[in-house]
């Protein structure tokens, strides 16, 4: 393609300013280029919590947003992923200590399905039963948090460190802990998607019942 063709192609495109959800004060995340608004929907953009809050100490946390709607020259997003950087996670690990992890899928009160992956770092090596007990605390605390929070409130609990603190407060009674973090949170399904899955499951069950009845 000639330089003239490339230049003309770029002239036909326009820049859209990408904004974070209202939960993150509609802060500007960046810009994206497209010929048509529909081409922007579905794109993702990743930033750090530090860039959003102005706190450089939070640069070890990555947040990913997905564009869901477009105005005249503005793209609006939803939050989809919270994740600690690999370098930060590696810095937490100590030789001769235990790293206890869990992966938990829960529904929030407003029917968002999310997967939460907490991690606990002990001061020294814990035995298998102690690791199992710490993991049980993680699972129970994550379920309890989801049962009383909306998706937005759950995300706030992780970003603000409240869920990690709750896990730490109980799990440290099992074995001395150095730190507890939520290493990743992922939005797996929105309410309409969860409802569609449930409806499909009901339809399948109904078909199975009908077949059994004929037999």
């Amino acid at each position: 393609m000639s330089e003239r063709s490339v230049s003309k192609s770029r002239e036909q495109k326009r820049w859209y300013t990408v904004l974070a959800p209202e939960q993150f004060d509609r802060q500007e995340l960046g810009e994206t280029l497209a010929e048509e608004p529909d081409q922007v929907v579905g794109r993702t953009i990743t930033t750090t919590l530090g860039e959003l809050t102005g706190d450089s100490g939070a640069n070890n946390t990555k947040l990913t947003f997905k564009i869901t709607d477009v105005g005249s020259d503005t793209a609006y997003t939803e939050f989809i992923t919270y994740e600690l950087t690999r370098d930060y996670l590696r810095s937490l690990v100590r030789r001769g200590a235990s790293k206890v992890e869990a992966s938990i899928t829960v529904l929030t009160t407003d029917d968002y399905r999310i997967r939460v992956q907490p991690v606990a770092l002990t001061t020294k090596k814990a035995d298998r039963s102690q690791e199992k007990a710490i993991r049980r605390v993680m699972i129970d605390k994550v379920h309890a948090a989801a049962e009383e929070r909306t998706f937005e409130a759950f995300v706030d609990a992780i970003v603000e460190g409240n869920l990690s603190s709750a896990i730490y407060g109980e799990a440290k009674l099992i074995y001395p802990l150095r730190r507890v973090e939520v290493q990743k949170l992922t939005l797996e399904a929105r309410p309409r998607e969860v409802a569609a899955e449930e409806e499909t499951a009901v339809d399948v069950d109904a078909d199975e019942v009908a077949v059994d009845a004929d037999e």
Side-chain angles (χ1 to χ4, degrees), residues 106-123:
V106 292
L107 273 181
T108 59
T109 59
D110 49 354
D111 290 335
Y112 282 82
R113 187 170 73 236
I114 54 179
R115 184 158 57 95
V116 187
Q117 296 171 264
V119 57
L121 292 308
T122 63
T123 57

Side-chain angles (χ1 to χ4, degrees), residues 41 80 90 104 119 145 164 184 196:
V41 175
I80 58 171
R90 279 197 294 265
I104 309 143
V119 57
S164 297
K184 190 171 185 179

Side-chain angles (χ1 to χ4, degrees), residues 141-157:
K141 288 296 183 182
V142 170
H143 276 282
E147 288 171 0
E148 60 185 26
R149 287 177 173 84
T150 62
F151 173 62
E152 183 174 318
F154 194 101
V155 172
D156 285 343

Side-chain angles (χ1 to χ4, degrees), residues 32-211:
T32 189
L33 187 65
E35 292 180 1
E36 300 293 338
D38 290 348
Q39 296 174 337
V40 176
V41 175
R43 292 182 182 177
T44 60
I45 187 166
T46 300
T47 187
T48 68
L49 181 60
E51 289 174 337
L52 283 183
T53 62
D55 177 9
S56 60
N59 284 334
N60 53 28
T61 301
K62 297 188 296 182
L63 303 176
T64 301
F65 301 88
K66 184 176 182 179
I67 297 174
T68 57
D69 193 21
V70 182
S72 58
D73 58 357
T74 305
Y76 301 95
T77 63
E78 66 174 351
F79 166 86
I80 58 171
T81 308
Y82 167 106
E83 184 175 13
L84 298 182
T85 63
R86 291 181 180 179
D87 287 346
Y88 176 67
L89 286 171
R90 279 197 294 265
S91 73
L92 298 178
V93 179
R94 296 288 185 274
R95 184 177 298 178
S98 295
K99 179 183 179 184
V100 185
E101 300 174 285
S103 183
I104 309 143
T105 300
V106 292
L107 273 181
T108 59
T109 59
D110 49 354
D111 290 335
Y112 282 82
R113 187 170 73 236
I114 54 179
R115 184 158 57 95
V116 187
Q117 296 171 264
V119 57
L121 292 308
T122 63
T123 57
K124 295 181 180 180
K125 184 67 177 177
D127 62 35
R128 184 170 297 180
S129 64
Q130 291 165 331
E131 291 181 358
K132 183 177 180 181
I134 291 171
R135 189 173 292 108
R136 183 74 257 170
V137 170
M138 290 178 173
I139 294 170
D140 291 345
K141 288 296 183 182
V142 170
H143 276 282
E147 288 171 0
E148 60 185 26
R149 287 177 173 84
T150 62
F151 173 62
E152 183 174 318
F154 194 101
V155 172
D156 285 343
I158 288 182
V159 170
E160 295 168 4
N162 297 333
L163 181 55
S164 297
S165 295
I167 295 172
Y168 180 89
E170 186 167 330
K172 70 177 182 180
L173 302 177
I174 299 168
Y175 194 86
L177 299 178
R178 194 164 54 79
R179 197 166 187 87
V180 172
E181 297 273 9
V182 173
Q183 57 183 330
K184 190 171 185 179
L185 176 149
T186 307
L187 171 61
E188 291 196 335
R190 300 152 190 82
R192 63 181 179 278
E193 295 164 338
V194 171
E197 290 173 2
E198 291 177 349
E199 185 175 343
T200 300
V202 169
D203 290 343
V204 170
D205 290 344
D207 290 342
E208 289 176 350
V209 170
V211 170

